[in-house]
Amino acid sequence: RDVGQYEVRLTVFEEFGQPTIDEYVAQADRQSINSETTQNVIERIFTVKNQAPDVDWSW
């Protein structure tokens, strides 16, 4: 990953894990949540720093 700041946004949709459930559950019945509405933008940003790898070539 490149050095810099990145914002992560997450949307979660409820699933039931059963192929026949669509016959009984309408799309409006499924729950979802979005991190944009539940988290402050400051909490969604992280920083990637450029750090040299720690390598030991003496086997």
Side-chain angles (χ1 to χ4, degrees):
R1 201 38 100 169
D2 293 332
V3 174
Q5 289 189 331
Y6 295 87
E7 179 181 352
V8 176
R9 298 176 186 174
L10 179 67
T11 302
V12 178
F13 295 97
E14 180 178 42
E15 289 294 333
F16 302 101
Q18 298 182 18
T20 60
I21 200 75
D22 287 334
E23 297 175 23
Y24 306 105
V25 179
Q27 189 64 32
D29 295 329
R30 296 178 187 270
Q31 299 290 315
S32 68
I33 193 162
N34 185 325
S35 64
E36 285 190 71
T37 60
T38 60
Q39 246 184 340
N40 186 315
V41 70
I42 299 297
E43 296 174 313
R44 294 191 313 257
I45 295 176
F46 68 96
T47 302
V48 175
K49 298 179 181 178
N50 186 14
Q51 298 178 343
D54 184 18
V55 179
D56 181 8
W57 294 101
S58 61
W59 305 27

